[in-house]
Amino acid sequence: MTDAQKNWQEHAVQFVHEIVIAHITIAITSYGFFTLSFLLSIMYLIQYKLLKQKKGFKWMWRFADLNQLDSYAFKTVTIGVPLLLIAIILGIVWAYVSDALFYWVDLKTIGSFFVLAIYVIYLVIRLWKKYKGRTIAIYNTVAFLLLLVNFLLFSTLSKFHF
C-alpha cells in the first residue's frame, strides 16, 4: 500500500468518526429541545389547571401566560424536528460508510423514525389543523414520553446501538 493510499484511508477513518460524533451530538441536541418543549407543555397544563380552579394567582408570576408557553413549546419542537432528521440521516450515512452491520429493523432505528413521525404530526396538527392550547400540550407530553421509551428502553434492546 502506498503512502497516498494510507493517508487517504486515515482521512476516511477520521471522517467516519466525525460523522458518528455529529450524529450523536445533533441527536442529543434535538432531544434537549424536545425536553424543553415537554417542560413548557407541563408548565402550560399546570397553569391551565390552576387557572381553571382559580388557584393560579399565587403561581402566575412564575410562569409565562398560556399563549407564550404554547408558543415556546411549538418553537422548540420546530427546532428539534429538523435536528432529529439530520441526526437520523447522519446515523444512516455513518452505518453505510463505516461498513457497520446496519439493521433497518433494529428497535432503536424504528423507534427514532417513529419519534420523528410523531413530532412531524405535532407540527402538522399545530400548523394546518390550528390546534393550540391544552390539546396540543397533552399531545406534546405523550410524544415526549414516547421519545423516552425510544431513548431508554429501545436503546437497551438494540442490536445496532450500544
Side-chain angles (χ1 to χ4, degrees), residues 85-159:
L85 177 61
I86 291 167
I88 290 171
I89 291 169
L90 286 174
I92 293 169
V93 168
W94 172 80
Y96 282 110
V97 171
S98 69
D99 291 329
L101 185 56
F102 180 66
Y103 297 102
W104 279 104
V105 292
D106 183 70
L107 281 177
K108 178 71 173 179
T109 305
I110 293 170
S112 295
F113 280 112
F114 182 71
V115 166
L116 179 64
I118 293 297
Y119 278 106
V120 167
I121 291 169
Y122 168 92
L123 293 176
V124 167
I125 62 177
R126 178 73 161 75
L127 292 171
W128 283 294
K129 298 283 186 172
K130 305 289 186 205
Y131 280 40
K132 289 186 177 185
R134 185 174 174 270
T135 304
I136 203 75
I138 291 170
Y139 183 95
N140 193 20
T141 303
V142 171
F144 181 76
L145 295 176
L146 293 172
L147 180 141
L148 281 180
V149 167
N150 182 50
F151 184 72
L152 299 174
L153 180 62
F154 289 174
S155 293
T156 60
L157 300 174
S158 175
K159 294 178 182 117

Side-chain angles (χ1 to χ4, degrees), residues 25-83:
T25 303
I26 294 171
I28 290 171
T29 303
S30 73
Y31 283 14
F33 278 104
F34 293 138
T35 302
L36 184 57
S37 180
F38 164 74
L39 293 173
L40 290 163
S41 290
I42 291 296
M43 290 168 58
Y44 180 98
L45 293 171
I46 290 170
Q47 186 157 316
Y48 180 86
K49 183 178 179 181
L50 291 172
L51 287 172
K52 285 294 182 186
Q53 295 175 349
K54 301 193 189 283
K55 296 180 182 177
F57 299 110
K58 295 177 186 173
W59 288 49
M60 288 295 260
W61 61 273
R62 294 185 184 186
F63 295 160
D65 69 25
L66 293 176
N67 286 331
Q68 279 184 321
L69 292 171
D70 183 54
S71 175
Y72 293 154
F74 168 69
K75 288 175 184 174
T76 54
V77 169
T78 303
I79 296 168
V81 166
L83 288 175

Side-chain angles (χ1 to χ4, degrees), residues 12-30:
V13 169
Q14 180 66 27
F15 178 68
V16 169
H17 289 304
E18 289 173 1
I19 289 175
V20 77
I21 289 169
H23 161 69
I24 293 168
T25 303
I26 294 171
I28 290 171
T29 303
S30 73

